[in-house]
Amino acid sequence: GHGDSHVFVILGASGDLAKKKIYPTLWWLFRDGLLPPKTYFIGYARSKLSMTDIQKKIIQYFKVKAGEEEKLKEFFKLNEYVSGAYDRIEGFAELNKVLQTKGNGNRLFYLALPPSVYEPVTLNIKAVCMAKGNHWTRLIVEKPFGRDLDSSNQLSNHLSAMFKEDEIYRIDHYLGKEMVQNLMVLRFGNRIFSPIWNRDNIASVVISFKEPFGTQGRGGYFDEFGIIRDVMQNHLLQILTLVAMEKPPSTASEDIRNEKVKVLKSIQPPDFGNIVLGQYVGNPDGEGDQKLGYLDDPTVPKESVTPTFATVVLFVQNERWDGVPFILRCGKALNERKAEVRLQFRNVSGDIFPQGAVKRNELVIRVQPDEAVYLKMMTKMPGMTFECAETELDLTYNFRYKDMKLPDAYERLILDVFLGSQIHFVRSDELHEAWRIFTPLLHYIEQNKPHPISYMYGSRGPTESDDLMSRHDFKYSGTY
Ligand code: BG6
């Protein structure tokens, strides 16, 4: 009905993710009037805390502006906190009592929890916390969804025995980013791209993720997973599917996700000869944190060979992409923060200009920072010359959409859960395929412990990665 309430339950309310991402996101959505009327928030965790304690921990992340004090008070009036164990039904029965005080309505459960408690928590939700009557229950889950194909399948089987696929929202926050969502419009809303979006015209595709900082105290978590699980298997592979997929019959979420799965099914696990793994070391001339290497993090085991950098080449073996390398490259403690997609076109045929004068076209989608789409192209150097010059058709958002504030990925995604849109969430078969692609490499790394190549904190990463890329038909032009 119209006046139904919504209750958003944050499981793991005292944790890092809740503090840094979920509570602030809920506040921004509430502040901006984007949530349905009668939305309540309930935090749940083991610690015996009060909502005031929680408030003190989270408020610093809210970025409250002058004039918002009243709104903020209103927000906290809608919040409650319940403490209880994750593996005991009594706690959830208690939670349900509080849920019932909010009237009949829809329920959203955000599992901001370590995966080790996913099973008991979901069993308990299913047993005593489901919405009643014709109201819905939705579950939001975050990576890590297991650590390889088997463990992920086990988790999926567990979840699917209790919840329908349309009740499960697997977050990959890269799917909430403006430029990642823009890929579909760019590709399917422009006549000019579709005829050239294929192996005949595109030489290579590079999808990069670079961060200028190291593990920042998350070394314990990170060391168990490594950069491939942390970033490549999810964020970069998701971007790849959006770049490579065929046009779906419509923009309905199942139509889109069907096409994404087809791309993944066309990818074989990477050849171990086509990978470069790296681990950062401290830079003695660097500043502060930069002096410290990965192994200097006290939460990282001294002999760890976990990669903090990886370049992997994948091939989409279908008619459109056969033979085109998709190069995924990601790393921590590098020289800059940047995430982008770079499609490099083949050389012009029958080139009439002096050798080397004409550079390849590139279409770049810069995801962050400073969102942009630009096309590198050749033009005549203006003036009394007939030389070729490389220039850009540049759609930088800061110029084109001045003063427009782009919403944070989590804002869009959490709102999508309220609205019931799964377009930007990962379906279970996508997850399965993603693990199928990377599990052989992950197991190989764990069993053989190949030594990652050392690279300096603040550098571009191992030069071997550049060599691998040029072996796969990626030609440098300018700084990259
Ligand atoms: C997370 C990874 O998924 O993405 C982090 O676990 C990484 O290691 C983060 O720092 C990057 O997200 P963003 O939105 O800052 O690019």
Side-chain angles (χ1 to χ4, degrees):
H2 212 67
D4 292 345
S5 66
H6 288 79
V7 190
F8 192 101
V9 181
I10 303 135
L11 297 143
S14 60
D16 221 47
L17 184 65
K19 173 170 80 178
K20 291 191 181 141
K21 286 285 180 198
I22 305 164
Y23 275 116
T25 301
L26 291 170
W27 153 242
W28 296 322
L29 290 172
F30 175 80
R31 179 199 62 191
D32 297 341
L34 295 168
L35 296 177
K38 290 203 265 171
T39 297
Y40 303 91
F41 314 94
I42 304 178
Y44 184 95
R46 279 173 310 192
S47 329
K48 296 236 177 318
L49 298 168
S50 67
M51 196 55 220
T52 319
D53 299 324
I54 300 271
Q55 186 171 341
K56 280 189 198 131
K57 281 161 72 115
I58 60 183
I59 193 74
Q60 53 175 310
Y61 298 97
F62 277 33
K63 301 185 203 145
V64 181
K65 296 199 270 299
E68 292 176 352
E69 297 80 4
E70 276 309 307
K71 203 83 201 161
L72 188 70
K73 267 194 207 146
E74 248 181 82
F75 176 73
F76 279 112
K77 271 201 203 126
L78 300 167
N79 267 272
E80 278 182 67
Y81 177 79
V82 179
S83 81
Y86 293 125
D87 55 355
R88 293 173 52 103
I89 198 146
E90 291 82 355
F92 286 79
E94 202 52 46
L95 173 62
N96 192 48
K97 275 189 203 154
V98 181
L99 277 161
Q100 280 168 339
T101 65
K102 309 301 172 207
N104 254 341
N106 303 317
R107 298 177 176 184
L108 303 84
F109 294 89
Y110 199 120
L111 272 64
L113 296 166
S116 55
V117 296
Y118 276 18
E119 298 205 2
V121 164
T122 46
L123 279 170
N124 288 331
I125 292 172
K126 184 71 187 177
V128 293
C129 289
M130 297 294 281
K132 306 287 179 305
N134 52 8
H135 296 107
W136 47 255
T137 301
R138 293 181 185 146
L139 212 62
I140 309 162
V141 287
E142 279 265 349
K143 69 152 204 249
F145 307 113
R147 47 179 300 110
D148 59 10
L149 187 57
D150 283 350
S151 52
S152 164
N153 282 346
Q154 193 187 328
L155 183 60
S156 292
N157 291 341
H158 168 86
L159 286 179
S160 66
M162 290 183 298
F163 298 90
K164 295 194 299 280
E165 185 63 26
D166 66 9
E167 296 175 317
I168 306 172
Y169 287 72
R170 293 178 199 81
I171 285 212
D172 180 317
H173 80 286
Y174 266 62
L175 294 179
K177 293 192 187 262
E178 182 71 35
M179 297 315 283
V180 175
Q181 297 195 350
N182 190 27
L183 279 167
M184 287 261 302
V185 179
L186 197 69
R187 288 195 54 198
F188 303 126
N190 290 298
R191 174 67 190 238
I192 57 166
F193 292 130
S194 64
I196 57 170
W197 207 267
N198 55 40
R199 63 192 300 273
D200 299 331
N201 296 286
I202 294 174
S204 58
V205 178
V206 182
I207 303 173
S208 307
F209 166 98
K210 299 169 80 180
E211 264 181 353
F213 47 82
T215 46
Q216 293 191 314
R218 279 167 85 231
Y221 151 83
F222 189 89
D223 200 69
E224 277 189 46
F225 293 94
I227 194 79
I228 295 174
R229 288 186 182 91
D230 192 44
V231 173
M232 190 181 280
Q233 182 264 3
N234 37 53
H235 306 330
L236 298 192
L237 191 62
Q238 281 292 325
I239 295 176
L240 184 156
T241 62
L242 293 167
V243 172
M245 74 186 208
E246 298 299 315
K247 188 190 282 188
S250 80
T251 56
S253 60
E254 296 323 313
D255 283 344
I256 293 172
R257 300 196 295 179
N258 287 344
E259 294 305 332
K260 289 170 69 192
V261 175
K262 281 193 217 159
V263 172
L264 295 170
K265 284 188 172 163
S266 307
I267 301 176
Q268 289 310 308
D271 178 337
F272 301 158
N274 275 340
I275 60 175
V276 170
L277 304 175
Q279 191 183 72
Y280 66 93
V281 295
N283 177 357
D285 303 322
E287 284 175 15
D289 216 30
Q290 294 203 325
K291 289 197 191 312
L292 300 177
Y294 180 66
L295 297 181
D296 298 321
D297 182 327
T299 58
V300 169
K302 282 291 150 258
E303 61 302 343
S304 170
V305 291
T306 301
T308 61
F309 177 101
T311 302
V312 168
V313 184
L314 298 176
F315 291 91
V316 181
Q317 280 151 342
N318 63 15
E319 194 168 8
R320 183 185 292 277
W321 295 115
D322 195 6
V324 179
F326 282 78
I327 302 166
L328 307 187
R329 179 176 73 135
C330 51
K332 300 235 164 215
L334 295 174
N335 58 331
E336 59 182 347
R337 173 165 189 258
K338 187 188 268 182
E340 64 171 31
V341 181
R342 193 172 285 259
L343 296 110
Q344 191 168 84
F345 291 87
R346 297 194 185 282
N347 298 340
V348 293
S349 29
D351 189 359
I352 56 171
F353 297 103
Q355 220 209 331
V358 171
K359 305 276 192 303
R360 285 178 165 184
N361 293 127
E362 277 182 359
L363 178 66
V364 183
I365 297 106
R366 190 161 61 223
V367 176
Q368 64 189 35
D370 206 7
E371 290 82 354
V373 179
Y374 58 94
L375 180 66
K376 287 197 165 192
M377 53 177 284
M378 301 305 299
T379 190
K380 188 186 92 58
M381 180 87 84
M384 299 288 268
T385 151
F386 197 53
E387 267 172 57
C388 301
E390 191 177 40
T391 185
E392 283 145 27
L393 279 180
D394 184 354
L395 174 60
T396 292
Y397 275 41
N398 271 337
F399 295 123
R400 179 62 54 134
Y401 301 107
K402 276 196 196 69
D403 306 321
M404 162 122 194
K405 197 199 154 286
L406 298 174
D408 177 72
Y410 274 88
E411 277 177 78
R412 289 182 214 263
L413 295 177
I414 288 183
L415 192 57
D416 279 347
V417 185
F418 276 92
L419 301 174
S421 167
Q422 292 193 305
I423 293 182
H424 308 296
F425 292 83
V426 181
R427 205 167 66 185
S428 75
D429 49 354
E430 284 181 77
L431 183 65
H432 175 92
E433 294 300 327
W435 281 118
R436 177 190 59 75
I437 293 166
F438 283 103
T439 294
L441 173 59
L442 292 164
H443 284 178
Y444 168 80
I445 293 172
E446 268 147 23
Q447 280 147 23
N448 298 286
K449 302 199 184 312
H451 238 276
I453 300 163
S454 299
Y455 63 95
M456 192 103 92
Y457 197 140
S459 70
R460 293 183 60 255
T463 53
E464 285 82 349
S465 166
D466 297 331
D467 300 339
L468 176 67
M469 289 165 69
S470 57
R471 283 207 304 281
H472 284 94
D473 212 12
F474 178 76
K475 306 260 181 296
Y476 292 106
S477 51
T479 56
Y480 174 66

